[in-house]
Amino acid sequence: MPTIVVDVMPKSELLDPQGKAVSGAFERLGVTGFGDVRIGKRFELTVDGEVTDEVLAQAKKLAEDVLSNSVIEDVVGIEVVE
Amino acid sequence: MPTIVVDVMPKSELLDPQGKAVSGAFERLGVTGFGDVRIGKRFELTVDGEVTDEVLAQAKKLAEDVLSNSVIEDVVGIEVVE
Protein backbone atom coordinates (compact mmCIF):
# COMPACT_ATOMS: atom_id res chain seq x y z
CA MET A 1 0.00 0.00 0.00
CA PRO A 2 1.28 3.48 -0.79
CA THR A 3 2.58 5.59 2.06
CA ILE A 4 2.54 9.34 2.60
CA VAL A 5 5.50 10.60 4.63
CA VAL A 6 4.96 13.79 6.61
CA ASP A 7 7.98 15.57 8.09
CA VAL A 8 7.48 17.97 10.98
CA MET A 9 10.26 20.07 12.51
CA PRO A 10 10.38 22.56 15.38
CA LYS A 11 10.21 26.16 14.14
CA SER A 12 13.73 27.31 13.34
CA GLU A 13 13.57 30.31 15.66
CA LEU A 14 12.82 28.07 18.66
CA LEU A 15 15.46 26.58 20.94
CA ASP A 16 15.71 22.82 20.40
CA PRO A 17 16.92 21.38 23.74
CA GLN A 18 16.89 17.80 22.44
CA GLY A 19 19.00 18.84 19.49
CA LYS A 20 21.40 20.67 21.80
CA ALA A 21 21.71 17.50 23.91
CA VAL A 22 22.64 15.45 20.85
CA SER A 23 25.20 17.96 19.59
CA GLY A 24 26.64 18.01 23.11
CA ALA A 25 26.95 14.24 22.94
CA PHE A 26 28.77 14.56 19.61
CA GLU A 27 31.31 16.87 21.27
CA ARG A 28 31.83 14.49 24.21
CA LEU A 29 32.42 11.69 21.69
CA GLY A 30 35.04 13.84 20.00
CA VAL A 31 32.96 14.14 16.84
CA THR A 32 33.76 17.32 14.91
CA GLY A 33 32.48 18.83 11.68
CA PHE A 34 28.85 19.12 12.64
CA GLY A 35 27.11 22.27 13.83
CA ASP A 36 23.55 22.35 15.11
CA VAL A 37 21.36 19.27 15.45
CA ARG A 38 17.59 19.66 15.24
CA ILE A 39 15.12 16.88 15.90
CA GLY A 40 11.60 16.56 14.50
CA LYS A 41 9.04 13.90 13.75
CA ARG A 42 8.52 11.68 10.72
CA PHE A 43 5.03 10.26 10.14
CA GLU A 44 4.31 7.40 7.77
CA LEU A 45 0.61 7.23 6.83
CA THR A 46 -0.37 4.11 4.90
CA VAL A 47 -3.10 4.83 2.37
CA ASP A 48 -5.95 2.42 1.68
CA GLY A 49 -6.05 2.36 -2.14
CA GLU A 50 -4.60 4.97 -4.47
CA VAL A 51 -3.14 8.36 -3.51
CA THR A 52 -5.50 10.70 -5.35
CA ASP A 53 -5.31 14.51 -5.21
CA GLU A 54 -8.12 14.43 -2.62
CA VAL A 55 -6.19 11.99 -0.41
CA LEU A 56 -3.05 14.13 -0.67
CA ALA A 57 -5.02 17.28 0.15
CA GLN A 58 -6.53 15.50 3.15
CA ALA A 59 -3.05 14.39 4.29
CA LYS A 60 -1.86 18.01 4.05
CA LYS A 61 -4.78 19.17 6.18
CA LEU A 62 -4.14 16.41 8.74
CA ALA A 63 -0.46 17.35 8.79
CA GLU A 64 -1.32 20.96 9.64
CA ASP A 65 -4.20 20.30 12.03
CA VAL A 66 -3.44 16.97 13.75
CA LEU A 67 0.18 15.92 13.21
CA SER A 68 1.82 19.24 14.03
CA ASN A 69 1.37 22.10 16.47
CA SER A 70 1.47 25.19 14.27
CA VAL A 71 2.57 27.36 17.22
CA ILE A 72 5.91 25.57 17.64
CA GLU A 73 6.27 23.37 14.57
CA ASP A 74 6.38 23.55 10.78
CA VAL A 75 5.34 20.86 8.32
CA VAL A 76 8.52 20.73 6.21
CA GLY A 77 7.66 17.93 3.85
CA ILE A 78 4.84 15.75 2.52
CA GLU A 79 5.90 13.02 0.13
CA VAL A 80 4.21 10.00 -1.48
CA VAL A 81 6.32 6.86 -1.20
CA GLU A 82 5.10 3.83 -3.19
CA MET B 1 25.52 25.44 5.42
CA PRO B 2 24.64 22.02 4.04
CA THR B 3 22.43 19.76 6.12
CA ILE B 4 22.30 15.98 6.42
CA VAL B 5 18.83 14.63 7.19
CA VAL B 6 18.68 11.32 9.05
CA ASP B 7 15.35 9.49 9.25
CA VAL B 8 14.83 6.92 11.98
CA MET B 9 11.69 4.77 12.30
CA PRO B 10 10.62 2.12 14.80
CA LYS B 11 11.27 -1.40 13.48
CA SER B 12 8.25 -2.47 11.42
CA GLU B 13 7.63 -5.61 13.48
CA LEU B 14 7.25 -3.56 16.67
CA LEU B 15 3.95 -2.18 17.97
CA ASP B 16 3.86 1.61 17.60
CA PRO B 17 1.54 2.87 20.36
CA GLN B 18 1.99 6.53 19.37
CA GLY B 19 1.07 5.67 15.81
CA LYS B 20 -1.98 3.74 17.02
CA ALA B 21 -3.04 6.77 19.05
CA VAL B 22 -2.85 9.02 15.99
CA SER B 23 -4.77 6.60 13.77
CA GLY B 24 -7.37 6.37 16.56
CA ALA B 25 -7.64 10.16 16.49
CA PHE B 26 -8.17 10.04 12.72
CA GLU B 27 -11.10 7.66 13.25
CA ARG B 28 -12.65 9.87 15.95
CA LEU B 29 -12.34 12.82 13.56
CA GLY B 30 -14.18 10.80 10.93
CA VAL B 31 -11.12 10.67 8.68
CA THR B 32 -11.14 7.61 6.41
CA GLY B 33 -8.80 6.31 3.74
CA PHE B 34 -5.73 5.92 5.92
CA GLY B 35 -4.50 2.68 7.47
CA ASP B 36 -1.60 2.47 9.90
CA VAL B 37 0.28 5.51 11.16
CA ARG B 38 3.89 5.09 12.28
CA ILE B 39 5.93 7.80 13.94
CA GLY B 40 9.71 8.15 13.91
CA LYS B 41 12.36 10.84 14.26
CA ARG B 42 13.89 13.23 11.76
CA PHE B 43 17.33 14.65 12.52
CA GLU B 44 18.81 17.64 10.74
CA LEU B 45 22.60 17.83 11.18
CA THR B 46 24.18 21.04 9.89
CA VAL B 47 27.62 20.43 8.46
CA ASP B 48 30.52 22.87 8.95
CA GLY B 49 31.93 23.15 5.44
CA GLU B 50 31.45 20.70 2.57
CA VAL B 51 29.78 17.27 2.76
CA THR B 52 32.67 15.01 1.74
CA ASP B 53 32.48 11.20 1.58
CA GLU B 54 34.18 11.10 4.98
CA VAL B 55 31.57 13.42 6.52
CA LEU B 56 28.75 11.34 5.04
CA ALA B 57 30.33 8.11 6.32
CA GLN B 58 30.67 9.71 9.75
CA ALA B 59 27.01 10.78 9.65
CA LYS B 60 26.01 7.20 8.80
CA LYS B 61 28.01 5.89 11.75
CA LEU B 62 26.48 8.50 14.08
CA ALA B 63 23.02 7.60 12.77
CA GLU B 64 23.56 3.94 13.66
CA ASP B 65 25.42 4.43 16.95
CA VAL B 66 24.05 7.64 18.48
CA LEU B 67 20.85 8.76 16.75
CA SER B 68 19.07 5.41 16.74
CA ASN B 69 18.66 2.41 19.02
CA SER B 70 19.38 -0.55 16.75
CA VAL B 71 17.33 -2.87 18.99
CA ILE B 72 14.05 -1.07 18.29
CA GLU B 73 14.74 1.33 15.44
CA ASP B 74 15.99 1.36 11.86
CA VAL B 75 17.79 4.17 10.08
CA VAL B 76 15.56 4.46 7.00
CA GLY B 77 17.18 7.39 5.26
CA ILE B 78 20.26 9.61 5.15
CA GLU B 79 20.09 12.51 2.70
CA VAL B 80 22.21 15.59 2.00
CA VAL B 81 20.10 18.73 1.69
CA GLU B 82 21.91 21.84 0.44
Side-chain angles (χ1 to χ4, degrees), chain B residues 8-56:
Chain B
V8 173
M9 290 301 287
K11 283 191 182 295
S12 48
E13 63 272 20
L14 290 185
L15 187 67
D16 181 354
Q18 286 188 324
K20 287 269 177 276
V22 171
S23 52
F26 282 3
E27 270 165 43
R28 284 194 301 281
L29 291 169
V31 170
T32 56
F34 295 96
D36 284 341
V37 174
R38 293 176 62 240
I39 304 175
K41 287 173 281 191
R42 183 177 190 268
F43 296 87
E44 288 185 1
L45 314 180
T46 47
V47 177
D48 300 334
E50 243 188 294
V51 179
T52 60
D53 289 344
E54 287 74 31
V55 170
L56 200 52

Side-chain angles (χ1 to χ4, degrees), chain A residues 33 35-36 38 40 42 44 46 48, chain B residues 33 35-36 38 40 42 44 46:
Chain A
D36 284 341
R38 295 177 60 241
R42 183 179 191 266
E44 287 184 1
T46 48
D48 300 334
Chain B
D36 284 341
R38 293 176 62 240
R42 183 177 190 268
E44 288 185 1
T46 47

Side-chain angles (χ1 to χ4, degrees), chain A:
Chain A
M1 291 198 298
T3 301
I4 296 177
V5 174
V6 175
D7 288 323
V8 173
M9 291 300 288
K11 284 191 183 296
S12 47
E13 63 271 21
L14 291 184
L15 187 67
D16 181 354
Q18 286 188 324
K20 287 269 176 276
V22 171
S23 52
F26 283 2
E27 271 165 41
R28 283 194 302 281
L29 292 168
V31 171
T32 56
F34 295 95
D36 284 341
V37 174
R38 295 177 60 241
I39 304 175
K41 287 174 280 189
R42 183 179 191 266
F43 297 87
E44 287 184 1
L45 315 179
T46 48
V47 178
D48 300 334
E50 246 186 286
V51 179
T52 60
D53 288 343
E54 287 76 30
V55 170
L56 201 52
Q58 190 177 25
K60 276 183 184 147
K61 189 147 179 12
L62 287 169
E64 298 293 343
D65 299 346
V66 179
L67 304 181
S68 67
N69 174 346
S70 55
V71 174
I72 58 170
E73 292 170 328
D74 289 320
V75 176
V76 297
I78 295 181
E79 190 190 352
V80 181
V81 176
E82 289 315 316

